[in-house]
Amino acid sequence: MCMIKAGQISKGMSLRFKGDPYIVMEREFVNPGKGSAFVRLKLKNLISGAVIKETIKSQDQVEDILVETKEAQYLYSDSESYHFMDNSTFEQYAIPVEGLEVMKNYLKEGETYQLIFWEDHPIDIKLPFKIVLSVTNAEHAVKGDTVSNITKSVVTETGLEVKVPIFIKEGDRILVKTETGEYVERVN
Amino acid sequence: MKRKEKMHKFGGGIIDFEILKKRAEFLQLTRRFFIEQGYLEVETPILSPYLIPEPSLEIFKTTFYIRSEQSLECYLIPSPELWMKRLIAQGAGNIFQVTKAFRNCESLGKLHNPEFTLLEWYTEGHDYQEEIVVLERLILFLSEKMHAETVFSTPFRRISMHEAFHTHTGVDLDEVADEESIRKVARHRGINVNEDESWEETFHKIFLTLVEPALAKEKTIILYDYPEKIPTFARTREGYSERWELYMHGVEIANCYTEEMSKQKLKHLFEAEAQRKKRCAVQHTIDPSLPDIFSDYSGDCAGVALGMDRLFMVLFGFQSVERVLPFSFSKIF
């Protein structure tokens, strides 16, 4: 058993909490001025899929559990699941969309992704830190930050809207941070 | 030079010069505001041989070498409080400072950067309520001069912790004064608490789960009069600390105390906090004399600490402090 302090928890980590396995969807450090330090967590139950919010002391001990990752090709999605296929065994996996709605912004058909397995069940998609997306619509001008009107909004191939510098045009390929949906750079 | 080469050469991201210029103006106007109000700008050590024991903060430790064989442990300040209070105690009058402060083990990006810009000011003769007026004037001055995205009106909404707690939990704080009864409140609302948790820890769990998130819809709100059981250097009165926090769109921006001056109370607090500090990852030498410094001081004094990166972020509608720093920690490490 591997016990860690709650302050060391990071996003994407898997934990046992109140007996059940969970994956950390969000982790935010909170220090309410004085007194104790806390960690605010958004956790997804790896069995039921239920999402819970918990605030725990950063000094508390939690159990870090092991999960397995496998590569698989993204096929398509329907209203309930994202469908993937293991390229070596041709086995197909369905991962529930619930709680992972934001993933659709970063999934491109035919591309390979890392899937997370808990006791042989696929339960989550591990996105790369940054991903390349093509700009499909650069006409959609939206007011940017008030400091600098040097940004505008564009739509990418997955439907994700991204704030970019004004020189970005339709057909450009841009690097986007998957955690925040922020523009990083042009990669033409 | 291509953008990619540029990123490699200079480290971190591409600099947004518009933000850089706006940030400079923001800092200059802040200084102008305080200078025009008669405050003295001061500079105090960032590298310190000792600190105030604050169990909720983790710090950075480093070493000063007197000679290669002789060294001295020192610490980067998490706040300039210990030095600014020494200036106040010796009669400096109203003072302000814009400084770098350092906090370890906090999450990166959205609301935190290990190295950040802190504005701290102290006003003699003021209590915490009077400092709200200074804060309101400062924010109005900055937002008007800089044409901020949000338009503010004063006075800012003020709510006591007692009222906020009652509104969002239905519980009268005065009636849950012991550990068992506040634990019951938490459990009743599905919040996980352990038997070994203190009143303050359980209170904060309830506050962070039910009260603080509800403040996000307020453009500005001042939460005042915190329970005395949360240890701070604020003066106490009838079970409450003379303390407030400013939240803007749910982001904690500033805090204020009427400073506690009683040597006995400060000494007691120092001892208790030094004990709790032992649970922290990084230990430090405890400030040996702060509880004594106000023994010859008479009158009130209140101090405010304000996170400048966060205020800039909120005034101009940015989503993270990382966006407003030319070289944020996550870009350079």
Side-chain angles (χ1 to χ4, degrees):
Chain A
M1 205 195 291
C2 173
M3 298 302 283
I4 58 162
K5 274 190 183 172
Q8 293 168 289
I9 295 173
S10 57
K11 194 178 162 179
M13 205 177 237
S14 308
L15 308 169
R16 193 185 300 278
F17 194 73
K18 294 182 197 167
D20 280 348
Y22 285 89
I23 187 152
V24 180
M25 299 172 72
E26 280 173 28
R27 174 251 192 219
E28 191 200 351
F29 179 88
V30 234
N31 177 357
K34 296 287 166 194
S36 308
F38 294 84
V39 180
R40 218 181 234 152
L41 301 171
K42 195 168 163 190
L43 303 167
K44 192 174 79 167
N45 190 308
L46 293 184
I47 299 165
S48 69
V51 174
I52 59 164
K53 283 183 177 174
E54 277 292 331
T55 302
I56 55 177
K57 277 187 290 170
S58 60
Q59 296 291 334
D60 280 353
Q61 299 272 324
V62 287
E63 187 189 342
D64 185 5
I65 55 173
L66 278 179
V67 290
E68 203 190 337
T69 56
K70 271 187 210 172
E71 279 194 346
Q73 191 187 29
Y74 174 60
L75 301 175
Y76 65 98
S77 70
D78 51 37
S79 60
E80 281 174 13
S81 308
Y82 295 114
H83 298 272
F84 289 85
M85 183 177 67
D86 185 321
N87 277 339
S88 50
T89 64
F90 304 110
E91 195 176 340
Q92 291 202 12
Y93 308 114
I95 296 182
V97 169
E98 201 190 336
L100 298 176
E101 289 81 1
V102 71
M103 294 285 180
K104 78 169 192 330
N105 293 328
Y106 305 103
L107 293 176
K108 295 194 284 182
E109 286 178 18
E111 293 264 317
T112 300
Y113 293 86
Q114 298 264 343
L115 301 187
I116 297 174
F117 286 74
W118 164 253
E119 291 181 340
D120 294 333
H121 297 290
I123 42 100
D124 205 352
I125 308 156
K126 193 175 177 184
L127 289 174
F129 185 55
K130 292 169 194 164
I131 192 167
V132 175
L133 294 173
S134 297
V135 175
T136 52
N137 186 352
E139 296 305 309
H140 188 55
V142 169
K143 190 174 154 261
D145 305 317
T146 52
V147 165
S148 50
N149 279 317
I150 56 165
T151 59
K152 62 173 182 180
S153 280
V154 295
V155 181
T156 65
E157 57 186 310
T158 59
L160 177 70
E161 226 178 83
V162 187
K163 266 190 189 175
V164 298
I166 38 170
F167 60 79
I168 298 293
K169 17 179 231 311
E170 213 164 289
D172 279 351
R173 283 150 49 82
I174 58 170
L175 199 60
V176 175
K177 268 194 199 174
T178 55
E179 196 177 336
T180 54
E182 275 177 316
Y183 167 87
V184 182
E185 61 174 327
R186 185 167 63 179
V187 287
N188 280 351
Chain B
M1 202 189 307
K2 281 185 185 162
R3 290 173 74 80
K4 203 152 196 177
E5 287 167 16
K6 216 170 169 182
M7 278 180 81
H8 179 71
K9 182 176 172 187
F10 297 112
I14 306 295
I15 305 300
D16 186 330
F17 288 101
E18 291 304 317
I19 297 178
L20 210 62
K21 283 181 207 159
K22 207 78 186 168
R23 218 183 132 90
E25 193 190 348
F26 174 72
L27 291 171
Q28 286 153 16
L29 283 169
T30 302
R31 290 198 161 93
R32 195 177 115 193
F33 173 85
F34 283 101
I35 293 163
E36 283 175 3
Q37 308 272 324
Y39 287 73
L40 180 71
E41 181 169 8
V42 298
E43 288 177 295
T44 57
I46 283 176
L47 202 56
S48 181
Y50 39 74
L51 299 173
I52 295 169
E54 289 183 282
S56 66
L57 301 180
E58 291 286 359
I59 51 116
F60 286 90
K61 182 156 85 174
T62 185
T63 311
F64 171 68
Y65 291 94
I66 300 162
R67 279 184 295 277
S68 60
E69 73 281 8
Q70 201 182 353
S71 64
L72 199 65
E73 201 171 85
C74 43
Y75 318 97
L76 292 172
I77 51 156
S79 120
E81 184 179 351
L82 76 161
W83 298 111
M84 291 184 80
K85 282 183 177 167
R86 283 173 160 85
L87 292 177
I88 287 289
Q90 289 179 62
N94 296 347
I95 52 172
F96 81 98
Q97 169 161 224
V98 180
T99 184
K100 285 286 183 186
F102 303 82
R103 294 182 188 180
N104 213 337
C105 300
E106 298 187 343
S107 43
L108 299 176
K110 196 168 183 295
L111 292 176
H112 299 93
N113 196 61
E115 167 181 348
F116 63 102
T117 305
L118 191 66
L119 162 69
E120 194 152 317
W121 78 84
Y122 289 82
T123 315
E124 287 197 306
H126 271 193
D127 68 6
Y128 70 133
Q129 292 288 346
E130 289 164 306
E131 283 293 73
I132 298 176
V133 180
V134 181
L135 172 90
E136 287 169 342
R137 271 198 247 135
L138 169 71
I139 289 177
L140 228 56
F141 176 79
L142 290 172
S143 62
E144 282 174 12
K145 289 268 184 244
M146 298 187 67
H147 313 289
E149 191 168 76
T150 320
V151 178
F152 298 96
S153 56
T154 54
F156 294 166
R157 194 176 156 223
R158 303 173 188 191
I159 185 170
S160 70
M161 181 62 94
H162 187 271
E163 189 189 337
F165 203 85
H166 188 260
T167 307
H168 300 291
T169 66
V171 171
D172 184 334
L173 254 184
D174 294 336
E175 286 170 11
V176 289
D178 64 280
E179 284 173 5
E180 201 36 56
S181 54
I182 198 158
R183 260 182 227 146
K184 228 183 253 173
V185 172
R187 289 194 181 118
H188 190 64
R189 282 153 186 78
I191 298 166
N192 202 31
V193 285
N194 304 325
E195 284 304 315
D196 63 345
E197 273 174 22
S198 67
W199 189 92
E200 174 266 308
E201 287 166 340
T202 310
F203 165 82
H204 272 132
K205 276 191 179 173
I206 301 172
F207 173 72
L208 293 171
T209 310
L210 299 170
V211 185
E212 202 196 57
L215 305 177
K217 61 179 192 300
E218 305 274 352
K219 199 156 55 171
T220 53
I221 187 162
I222 288 181
L223 190 59
Y224 67 92
D225 284 359
Y226 280 59
E228 181 183 35
K229 290 198 183 75
I230 304 168
T232 65
F233 299 103
R235 189 168 72 186
T236 56
R237 169 178 48 83
E238 293 161 6
Y240 287 86
S241 296
E242 294 189 356
R243 163 187 175 191
W244 54 253
E245 302 269 330
L246 165 72
Y247 286 86
M248 294 170 86
H249 299 287
V251 180
E252 188 198 322
I253 302 283
N255 81 325
C256 170
Y257 306 149
T258 308
E259 299 301 339
E260 177 59 75
M261 307 269 181
S262 150
K263 180 178 168 174
Q264 202 190 348
K265 281 188 181 167
L266 286 172
K267 227 179 164 122
H268 180 71
L269 185 68
F270 253 61
E271 281 161 11
E273 293 291 83
Q275 272 305 316
R276 301 203 320 134
K277 183 76 201 173
K278 287 183 181 157
R279 299 195 308 208
C280 286
V282 190
Q283 297 297 314
H284 62 76
T285 307
I286 308 286
D287 186 333
S289 53
L290 195 76
D292 297 325
I293 62 172
F294 290 115
S295 30
D296 300 326
Y297 190 90
S298 60
D300 284 349
C301 179
V304 180
L306 184 152
M308 293 291 272
D309 307 307
R310 286 186 181 184
L311 178 61
F312 186 81
M313 163 189 136
V314 169
L315 286 183
F316 298 103
F318 291 106
Q319 296 306 308
S320 67
V321 287
E322 202 171 41
R323 263 300 265 137
V324 306
L325 298 168
F327 298 104
S328 70
F329 193 84
S330 57
K331 278 186 204 154
I332 59 174
F333 280 86

